[in-house]
Amino acid sequence: MLPKQIQVFERGWLSSNNVLLRGADGAALIDSGYLAHAPQTLALVEHALGGERLARLVNTHCHADHMGGNRALADAHGCRVTIPAGEAPLIDRWDERELVLGFADQRAERFRYDDTLAPGDTLRLGDVDWQAIAAPGHDPHALMFFAPEPGILISGDALWEDGFGVVFPALFGELGAFGEARATLESIAKLGVRTVIPGHGRVFTDVARALERSFYRLDGYEEDVTRHARHCVKVLLVFALLEKQRMEIAALPRYCDEVGLLRELNARHLHMSPERFAEWLVADLERARAIAREGGDIVPLVLA
């Protein structure tokens, strides 16, 4: 499905996929995964490059699971770091609420960047020309990268095979963000994409089916934002569990009340006591076979 100079490291859900592109201008990586996986990301890149230096690192957006390895890669390779232009003020301020870091019990190391990309820019990676395309919704400043000739889209979290990333702004009253997510999906439908490299999950070619699923999900979220809030808090708890690997059930009410994003989403949309909130989360995730009980703990069943 992909030219030989493009290699995808398919990760799990704690780290985004990493896309390695090799060409005349040197090797480049798109997205760097989560901080806890930074040693693994470094090992994957160094094994694939066989001693060659990574020349450039590009981010689709600046959430923890996509930029968590930036500092480690930059320190190890001295590579040029490029981020979406809209993310630059957030990285400069390094506000952990704006960046959905400590506010969501997620982590990343502060890093330097060398330049930015804006929608409409073109970059050459792996001897292929890529168009930077705005992809608001999940992140208002996110970019996708499209190569028209081979028809390849690096979609970040704007489109997966079975959905898309949480539309965070909509959960805090910016309901227009759902419209932005819809416009992003509609823009993908017009591109003539033949292969998608998503931010999570496998590379896929049935783009029409993936878009159909995403539009269906988005319709439901637009009809009832509380449905999206329920989805989001479950995603957040599973993400935390993937990093920690084990959490004590008795401690979950306190955890849900101490993590700012969980606490605020509960207060705004779900209106449960911390005890009831934790009980509902465990029961629903257990029913979905995303977690399991082991003694007095919960453990993840999905891949990190």
Side-chain angles (χ1 to χ4, degrees):
M1 286 187 283
L2 297 173
K4 63 182 180 180
Q5 70 269 31
I6 301 177
Q7 184 176 357
V8 179
F9 304 140
E10 184 181 336
R11 312 297 287 272
W13 290 97
L14 191 62
S15 280
S16 68
N17 293 337
N18 319 121
V19 187
L20 184 66
L21 307 100
R22 304 176 73 173
D25 293 331
L29 190 74
I30 295 181
D31 287 335
S32 65
Y34 190 61
L35 177 60
H37 284 173
Q40 185 184 76
T41 304
L42 276 169
L44 286 167
V45 170
E46 289 169 4
H47 176 76
L49 292 181
E52 180 185 351
R53 185 181 75 87
L54 184 70
R56 192 174 188 184
L57 171 61
V58 181
N59 291 118
T60 57
H61 61 293
C62 289
H63 284 165
D65 55 329
H66 291 254
M67 67 170 182
N70 279 24
R71 174 71 175 272
L73 285 163
D75 286 351
H77 290 268
C79 54
R80 173 182 171 192
V81 178
T82 304
I83 63 174
E87 304 281 32
L90 281 68
I91 297 301
D92 291 342
R93 290 193 295 271
W94 202 258
D95 183 306
E96 295 224 343
R97 181 186 175 102
E98 289 181 315
L99 290 168
V100 200
L101 292 173
F103 181 52
D105 190 28
Q106 297 178 17
R107 276 153 286 284
E109 289 183 311
R110 194 165 191 169
F111 63 92
R112 58 151 185 88
Y113 62 90
D114 299 287
D115 52 14
T116 64
L117 284 168
D121 288 347
T122 299
L123 65 164
R124 189 164 180 82
L125 304 173
D127 296 331
V128 175
D129 290 324
W130 301 84
Q131 301 169 355
I133 299 172
H138 171 64
D139 181 303
H141 312 297
L143 295 174
M144 307 178 289
F145 302 109
F146 179 58
E149 188 174 338
I152 300 170
L153 178 71
I154 299 173
S155 62
D157 289 345
L159 179 68
W160 305 328
E161 191 170 19
D162 193 26
F164 49 85
V166 169
V167 184
F168 286 107
L171 297 174
F172 288 90
E174 298 178 33
L175 297 181
F178 283 140
E180 292 179 340
R182 182 174 296 279
T184 294
L185 295 174
E186 289 171 347
S187 74
I188 293 172
K190 296 173 183 176
L191 287 174
V193 177
R194 296 194 291 277
T195 303
V196 175
I197 304 174
H200 299 272
R202 66 181 183 176
V203 176
F204 62 90
T205 56
D206 194 345
V207 184
R209 178 60 176 148
L211 286 167
E212 181 184 357
R213 289 171 178 155
S214 290
F215 280 123
Y216 178 80
R217 287 178 183 269
L218 186 57
D219 288 344
Y221 295 152
E222 286 181 309
E223 289 172 8
D224 181 8
V225 68
T226 303
R227 181 185 301 180
H228 197 47
R230 289 195 296 267
H231 168 66
C232 179
V233 295
K234 288 184 284 186
V235 166
L236 289 170
L237 184 61
V238 170
F239 190 93
L241 189 56
L242 286 171
E243 181 178 12
K244 302 174 194 302
Q245 286 297 296
R246 182 175 295 273
M247 298 174 74
E248 185 183 0
I249 294 172
L252 282 177
R254 181 176 177 180
Y255 177 83
C256 291
D257 202 41
E258 288 180 343
V259 175
L261 185 50
L262 286 171
R263 182 180 64 249
E264 291 190 22
L265 289 175
N266 183 27
R268 180 181 282 267
H269 297 285
L270 306 178
H271 314 296
M272 301 183 196
S273 69
E275 293 74 19
R276 175 66 188 122
F277 186 30
E279 180 185 6
W280 169 78
L281 276 168
V282 170
D284 215 64
L285 288 168
E286 194 174 25
R287 188 179 310 114
R289 298 184 180 179
I291 66 171
R293 297 176 191 251
E294 283 189 0
D297 298 339
I298 54 172
V299 297
L301 294 179
V302 295
L303 294 175

